[in-house]
Amino acid sequence: MAIQKMTGREAFIKLLLDEGITHLFGNPGTTELAIMEVVPQFPELKYVLGLQESIVVGMADGYARASNKMAAVNLHCAPGLGHAMGAIYSAKFSGSPLLITAGQYEVGYGLQEPLLYDDLVAIAKPLVKWSFEVTRIEDLPRVVRRAAKIAMTPPMGPVFISLPGSVLDEEAEIDFGFPTRIDAATRPNDDALNELADRLLAAKQPVMIAGREIANADAFAEATELAELLGAAVYQESVPYNTRYPVTHPTCLGDLTRNQKKIRQTLEQYDFLLCLGADLLRMSPKSDVEPLPPGMPVMHITEREWELGKNYSTEYAVRADVKETLRALLPILRAKRSDAYKTQATKRIEEISSRNWSANCAKLRADVQSAATAQPIDQRYLVKQLVDVLPENVIIVDETLTAAPAISAMYPAQDPNAFYSLASGGLGFGMPGAVGVSLAQPDRPVVATIGDGSSMYGIQALWTAAHLKLPITYVIINNRSYRIIKERLLAMRGTDAFVAMDMNDPAIDFVGVAKGLGMDAHCVTDPAKISDVLKSAIASGKPTLVEVIVADGFASQS
């Protein structure tokens, strides 16, 4: 783009488009009027309205995760940025390249501390890769280009720009420059690759933790071949960012939990751990038991150097692109494997077959069938019925907590875009995230499985889904309580004196809420009707909410 004379607001939109951004997610206020004035002049940029700022960022996060592309966000000054902070926290951990902006008062006016003013750069800084305020129109291209480059450079993540109204309203001769992208698809050198191969082949019982970077790099083929060559058991990392590994592959044993004692017992069966594109045992509640067995050798390959050796000593810490590394490593492993090793690798995979994901799924499905007539509905039976009616190209967005183990154990996620869930542990991604995922993958139906408690962190997203007529089916798994908190209070504190953990007086009418926000909605209480209602909702191709009343797990359903 050549030097052009224009306003800051026009230049900002042109810069977004030139950086490859197609969607601007926002919730406008007075300080964003300059941008809203010019948006209609650029129909190639789709403005997606969210009804609250955390919804806006959640939608953008979902879009970025499902497209692997950068999305733009426009928030409303200090309160709007404050509303969005929880969602930005999630985007930080999901690694979503978001170019987040907020309107700011004119340069210098903040001295008077007007209503809605605060230091936006300082507010955003802890959760983003870079935070900056533009103070001269001439600097706008440099700031946007730098922000986009930082956001898109692995490990990707959100950035923040404060946009004063005076900068957007100024007019000047602007040198636009052009986008910069850093080629970060690096791999170890040849000597290091040979050393890695030798160490992997020396293991007698290798285990692999498969992480989100495998899916992000579209490296399922390479990762599964690696597991086959090594005869390695594979677990998906403990945080359910995405699919991470095709679960029906014979080497897959499903998800690691975040129960340190159980992980320790699991890993003690093996003599070498390969952490591939994953967090190395990211946990939640503290435990006196370390999940990694003492002295267990670790090889960790990731693009996120901060994760290398962060909590556990790592014998081989490799900062590299997962796909490029595997492309170079696999031929070396093929050449180095002896006939005896091939036999042992095949034997290890055969031994896994009786306890891999597919075997455990079959056992669980048979067990769950016994609850087919239970009322209130057993949430595991609901999950089984849901899985049975899902079309092949469906995408699941999950935020259910207590139903999540059943979903991960029965939903046969096969491709990198088949599943998205919590990244940070904080609630609020599922409802708006489903909107963003649907916008990024418009030819695929989306089913969002959401807990009743979780849904209330992002319920406004239903309006955007209805407004855009997106093919999303929201399945609200309603136990009318915070069941996960009850379970943990009982398990961790030894008491069932539940206070402020029920939502049954009054019960939330999710059908009424959904209809009020413009969406078709149904409520299911009879287990015999689950299949037909869900099948119809998904097949409609319309935004629909299905509320399913399930047992609360404590025999106190009202």
Side-chain angles (χ1 to χ4, degrees):
M1 299 174 71
I3 295 176
Q4 300 179 44
K5 185 175 184 179
M6 65 179 63
T7 63
R9 57 187 179 271
E10 293 171 309
F12 175 69
I13 301 297
K14 280 182 173 289
L15 286 164
L16 295 185
L17 291 169
D18 196 48
E19 288 288 343
I21 291 171
T22 57
H23 288 72
L24 172 59
F25 298 84
N27 180 264
T30 304
T31 52
E32 290 70 50
L33 290 179
I35 289 174
M36 300 310 294
E37 175 188 344
V38 77
V39 162
Q41 300 174 27
F42 297 91
E44 60 269 46
L45 182 68
K46 184 176 181 63
Y47 189 95
V48 182
L49 174 62
L51 301 188
Q52 199 260 11
E53 286 87 353
S54 65
I55 305 301
V56 170
V57 175
M59 293 190 298
D61 187 9
Y63 177 86
R65 290 171 71 176
S67 66
N68 237 9
K69 297 178 181 178
M70 184 163 49
V73 174
N74 190 225
L75 307 173
H76 179 43
C77 57
L81 179 57
H83 290 159
M85 289 299 279
I88 297 172
Y89 179 78
S90 292
K92 169 187 173 181
F93 284 99
S94 66
S96 290
L98 305 184
L99 200 160
I100 303 170
T101 62
Q104 179 62 287
Y105 282 116
E106 290 73 9
V107 173
Y109 184 46
L111 177 65
Q112 300 183 36
E113 299 184 0
L115 203 67
L116 305 176
Y117 174 80
D118 215 308
D119 185 347
L120 302 182
V121 171
I123 293 172
K125 190 173 183 179
L127 300 183
V128 297
K129 294 181 70 179
W130 187 55
S131 184
F132 193 79
E133 179 168 287
V134 187
T135 56
R136 300 191 319 140
I137 185 174
E138 293 83 0
D139 293 332
L140 190 60
R142 180 169 290 154
V143 171
V144 173
R145 299 296 192 196
R146 185 185 298 181
K149 180 211 67 170
I150 293 171
M152 290 296 291
T153 300
M156 296 189 294
V159 294
F160 177 78
I161 302 173
S162 172
L163 294 174
S166 53
V167 172
L168 295 174
D169 285 335
E170 286 181 36
E171 187 175 38
E173 295 279 347
I174 298 176
D175 183 354
F176 278 86
F178 54 85
T180 297
R181 292 293 180 268
I182 294 176
D183 182 359
T186 59
R187 66 166 180 84
N189 62 44
D190 292 346
D191 289 342
L193 286 168
N194 274 285
E195 188 175 352
L196 295 179
D198 289 340
R199 185 62 185 90
L200 288 169
L201 293 173
K204 303 299 182 184
Q205 289 291 336
V207 62
M208 185 168 88
I209 298 177
R212 64 176 184 187
E213 292 173 33
I214 299 173
N216 293 342
D218 193 19
F220 277 8
E222 292 84 356
T224 53
E225 183 181 355
L226 175 65
E228 291 166 6
L229 289 174
L230 299 177
V234 180
Y235 292 89
Q236 295 194 102
E237 67 182 319
S238 58
V239 179
Y241 300 101
N242 52 14
T243 309
R244 293 157 286 159
Y245 193 82
V247 296
T248 58
H249 190 270
T251 60
C252 185
L253 279 82
D255 286 9
L256 278 178
T257 68
R258 289 191 295 278
N259 181 310
Q260 286 94 317
K261 185 177 180 180
K262 289 183 179 179
I263 294 173
R264 173 76 160 266
Q265 293 170 346
T266 295
L267 295 181
E268 284 175 339
Q269 305 170 61
Y270 306 98
D271 67 352
F272 188 82
L273 172 60
L274 169 61
C275 187
L276 185 64
D279 304 324
L280 182 54
L281 304 177
R282 185 175 169 212
M283 300 290 102
S284 38
K286 186 181 183 300
S287 171
D288 292 333
V289 178
E290 286 283 358
L292 187 70
M296 186 168 200
V298 175
M299 180 185 295
H300 193 175
I301 303 172
T302 178
E303 65 186 17
R304 294 168 288 155
E305 64 183 34
W306 177 256
E307 297 299 321
L308 293 167
K310 183 176 73 174
N311 294 319
Y312 304 101
S313 296
T314 302
E315 185 176 332
Y316 292 89
V318 182
R319 185 192 185 280
D321 178 82
V322 167
K323 191 180 184 79
E324 290 302 314
T325 299
L326 292 183
R327 280 177 170 172
L329 181 61
L330 291 173
I332 299 173
L333 288 170
R334 291 189 210 108
K336 285 177 174 284
R337 288 201 316 160
S338 66
D339 289 340
Y341 188 95
K342 293 176 184 178
T343 300
Q344 288 300 313
T346 300
K347 183 180 178 180
R348 286 195 289 268
I349 294 175
E350 289 172 351
E351 291 172 348
I352 290 171
S353 64
S354 63
R355 56 190 177 92
N356 64 13
W357 184 92
S358 296
N360 290 333
C361 177
K363 295 172 187 175
L364 179 60
R365 286 176 58 86
D367 179 56
V368 167
Q369 189 59 36
S370 65
T373 59
Q375 288 188 301
I377 294 166
D378 185 313
Q379 65 182 6
R380 298 179 309 158
Y381 181 71
L382 162 61
V383 171
K384 176 182 176 296
Q385 293 298 94
L386 172 62
V387 167
D388 287 346
V389 301
L390 292 175
E392 286 188 7
N393 65 336
V394 73
I395 299 174
I396 292 280
V397 177
D398 178 60
E399 194 170 270
T400 54
L401 301 184
T402 56
I407 292 170
S408 66
M410 286 189 272
Y411 172 51
Q414 292 299 319
D415 72 82
N417 290 315
F419 177 81
Y420 297 95
S421 188
L422 292 173
S424 70
L427 300 178
F429 167 76
M431 298 291 284
V435 173
V437 169
S438 184
L439 289 170
Q441 299 284 337
D443 297 326
R444 299 179 67 168
V446 173
V447 172
T449 49
I450 313 288
D452 54 325
S454 299
S455 72
M456 297 308 295
Y457 287 78
I459 200 73
Q460 303 98 320
L462 294 179
W463 181 88
T464 304
H467 174 66
L468 298 176
K469 299 178 175 56
L470 299 175
I472 304 173
T473 302
Y474 287 95
V475 182
I476 305 298
I477 302 178
N478 187 0
N479 57 40
R480 297 182 176 177
S481 66
Y482 292 138
R483 179 173 174 176
I484 186 69
I485 301 302
K486 289 184 176 182
E487 290 179 353
R488 289 184 175 179
L489 185 68
L490 188 61
M492 300 169 70
R493 298 291 175 175
T495 176
D496 61 358
F498 303 134
V499 177
M501 298 180 192
D502 291 292
M503 297 180 289
N504 53 19
D505 184 21
I508 298 172
D509 178 9
F510 284 100
V511 170
V513 171
K515 288 184 175 179
L517 292 170
M519 183 176 290
D520 289 343
H522 313 275
C523 181
V524 179
T525 59
D526 182 351
K529 296 181 179 179
I530 295 173
S531 180
D532 288 343
V533 173
L534 290 175
K535 185 184 295 184
S536 176
I538 298 168
S540 73
K542 299 177 181 179
T544 307
L545 182 142
V546 178
E547 176 189 14
V548 183
I549 306 298
V550 300
D552 70 358
F554 291 89
S556 60
Q557 193 77 20
S558 64

